[in-house]
Amino acid sequence: MNKTKLYSVVFKLLIGIILLNLNGLIFLFVGSTGIISPLILIFSAYVILNSKSRAISNLSTGYFIYILLYLVIGSISLLISFQVGVETLTTMTDIIKSIVLIYAVYLGYLQELQKSNSIIVYTCWLIIFSVVLSYGLDYLNIASIQANYRTDYRMSGFFANPNELAAQSLFSIISIQYLFKKYTSKYYRLILMVALLISGYAMFMAFSRSIFLVLFIILFLQVFLYKGLSFKSLILLGGFALLLVVALPLLYENTNLSLQKRIDTSLDIFDEGLSDGNTGGRFDLISEAFVYINENPFLGVGIGNMQRMEGVGGVHNAYLAVWGNAGFFVLLYFISFLIRLIKELHIYTKKTGNTLFLFLILTICINGLSKAGVFEFKINNLIMALTFAVLANRCNNIEVNNNV
């Protein structure tokens, strides 16, 4: 095996380990794991050291600047506030790992994309398979028997919690839409339709409010902005609405009482608007978060302190976490970067008709409104890196074509 093929194999193993959540799969059966994280770092180091080029795009540079600002200013804030949170070391470690992982995966994707787009197809199939496998473990009651994850009233499979499975299920649905356009074979399209049903079911049973919000936003964008109000679009939208009307009551009747109660509480949003009760206590969390933020709104109270709230597992908002941990200016820079990223993805989508990367990034960004740590989660790191690589590769191709 020559060096180029070995590089490709190692890179595909790296993204396979991440997208299939091998760490979570081992934890489900064993209860603890310390093997996979070092392996990811080793593979990442190999990809970085053996990459043909280690240059990064302006967009990637902007994201790395944000991460470094978050790390440096958040560390300075720790010294000023003298408040070390219980999650300080974990948060700092996650941020450092994010830098290494994003850089490695970005370089790997960029090198593979210069050969073909097959690496994107490979990535989509891995995402889909992870959800199908997770559903299978739940269907066979293996996940509940092992009992190392929360399976008492919401599906989680081999992900750390149901919210992560819900996000992965939406990633799967978005990937299926992308692949459906790639394949004309009825055999492949049938497989994708079955995977779509499984992903939709898994997303419902994991029942994350923020993920449902993302789903309806991207459906709106798909129909009204990126496809237009064509007759076919209206038929598809009507068919989807009809499917929901028929399927959701049946799913509801077959869920346990705990999940039914969560669904009932969530549906109260349409009657009484947003409240602390129907948003899973998010309003109280926001109020508590601002108690910390107000201690030093410009520099923050230090990395890890927004994850120290007792009994709630942290602030449950990625943006308030950045604000509280590293201050307003770091948050402002981060939001400015995300606006720039989404703007570039919008332009890319309008030119190519490919919504895959925009919708994946929107899922991460909107999910961050009710979850902390989504930007440090390995799968999300990979998706960010893939997006940077695709945009960089397109810019490079345009430059080459202009020079010819």
Side-chain angles (χ1 to χ4, degrees), residues 120-184:
I120 299 175
V121 174
Y122 174 76
T123 298
C124 289
W125 278 115
L126 284 174
I127 292 172
I128 294 166
F129 183 70
S130 71
V131 175
V132 172
L133 179 58
S134 201
Y135 161 77
L137 291 173
D138 184 86
Y139 179 78
L140 296 172
N141 290 323
I142 294 174
S144 59
I145 291 170
Q146 295 303 123
N148 286 323
Y149 284 133
R150 293 166 55 188
T151 58
D152 52 340
Y153 69 100
R154 286 199 286 161
M155 185 187 293
S156 62
F158 53 76
F159 289 84
N161 62 53
N163 295 321
E164 290 181 15
L165 175 59
Q168 191 79 347
S169 298
L170 184 52
F171 290 158
S172 177
I173 291 170
I174 296 168
S175 298
I176 290 167
Q177 180 195 21
Y178 173 78
L179 292 178
F180 203 80
K181 296 177 182 178
K182 293 287 181 183
Y183 295 107
T184 56

